[in-house]
Amino acid sequence: MNSEKENFQEKNHTKKSLIYRFSQFVGFLLGARFFVAALLTLALYVSTFFLFNQDESFRKFVFDFKVHGIIFCTVVTILAGGIINQFYDFEKDHIVKPFRTRIQSFIKQKYFLYAYLALSVISLGVAWMISHNVFIFFIVYQFFMWFYSHKLSRILILNNLTFVSLTLYPFFGMMVYYETFSKKVLLMAVFLFLILLCIDIVKDTLTKSVDKAFGYTTIPNYFGNKTADAIIVSLLMITMAVSMKLILRTGIAGFMAYYFAAGLFIFILCIYLIISHSRRNNFFIINILRFWVFAGIIAMLLSGLEGKL
């Protein structure tokens, strides 16, 4: 009887241990923002091959280990940036993202810091092996990732501009690497910058009171919701103008032309939701715009395949 009881307790302990380890694993993925990094990896590969890389064949691109190394360093740096950001925002996230912080509580904060240091060293080590210029590029990237989390995320307007700029920084690096400078690429960069800026400001309207309590000076809690809404509407209207310019002046065609044309209706819908002045609508706007960024990656992939075939 005692033997059966001991076996049952041992199995129960093993089951709890597995659940605990799995929770630690999920907590680490959420802390490092693994899923954001995975999406950015897809975006980098699609944009690099179909937008920035104008001359290389697919075979040459596959065996261009320097490009793969740069993308690897980028992804590892983003994972490290996600970890250090959640370290600084830990108290705020307890209120804003209770489920995520509950999962992350299975891992001590010191282990997140160890992971941050390890990922940063790995990224810089690989960057050094590629070239000294790439190493400097990632030193700058990592510094501003840390500085954003430590200081800039609390400063009015700079927090939004820095966050969006850091998101686009790897794409700028690839553009410089391939020396792909054109009106079309510039307008597409402006288009993406404006969408990401809108997402970040709308996100701040949802965390307005919490941001104020923890000392984050954002557009909604400094200027008020009405001014924030007016800024978002203005940014969306500018984005629509950029979309029209891309369609009419750059000779863009195929799936990308359909994407930018359909985007006009998406942005009109978002403007309507903002004018309605509902907190729930702001949540919908964020998800609509995030989906539209993902749709842009797919449209670029399909347009690129159409052009290559």
Side-chain angles (χ1 to χ4, degrees), residues 85-111:
N85 185 250
Q86 75 85 30
F87 178 81
Y88 280 102
D89 288 351
F90 188 72
E91 292 183 354
K92 174 186 165 183
D93 287 344
H94 262 296
I95 299 171
V96 179
K97 301 166 183 174
F99 175 75
R100 194 176 85 174
T101 49
R102 173 61 181 162
I103 295 294
Q104 288 172 352
S105 66
F106 286 97
I107 305 177
K108 293 180 180 178
Q109 286 297 294
K110 67 177 182 179
Y111 293 121

Side-chain angles (χ1 to χ4, degrees), residues 35-36 82 95 123-124 146 183 196 209-210 221 258 267 273 279 284 290:
F35 304 105
V36 173
I95 299 171
S123 174
L124 292 177
W146 167 79
K183 185 177 180 181
L196 293 175
S209 56
V210 179
N221 67 37
Y258 294 130
F267 302 138
L273 291 173
R279 180 182 173 84
F284 288 142
R290 282 174 176 168

Side-chain angles (χ1 to χ4, degrees), residues 2 21 43 71 99 134 150 190 226 239 245 250 283 300:
N2 288 334
R21 295 298 178 191
I71 293 177
F99 175 75
V134 173
H150 176 65
V190 171
K226 286 186 177 180
T239 309
K245 199 164 185 70
T250 63
F283 178 77
M300 188 183 298

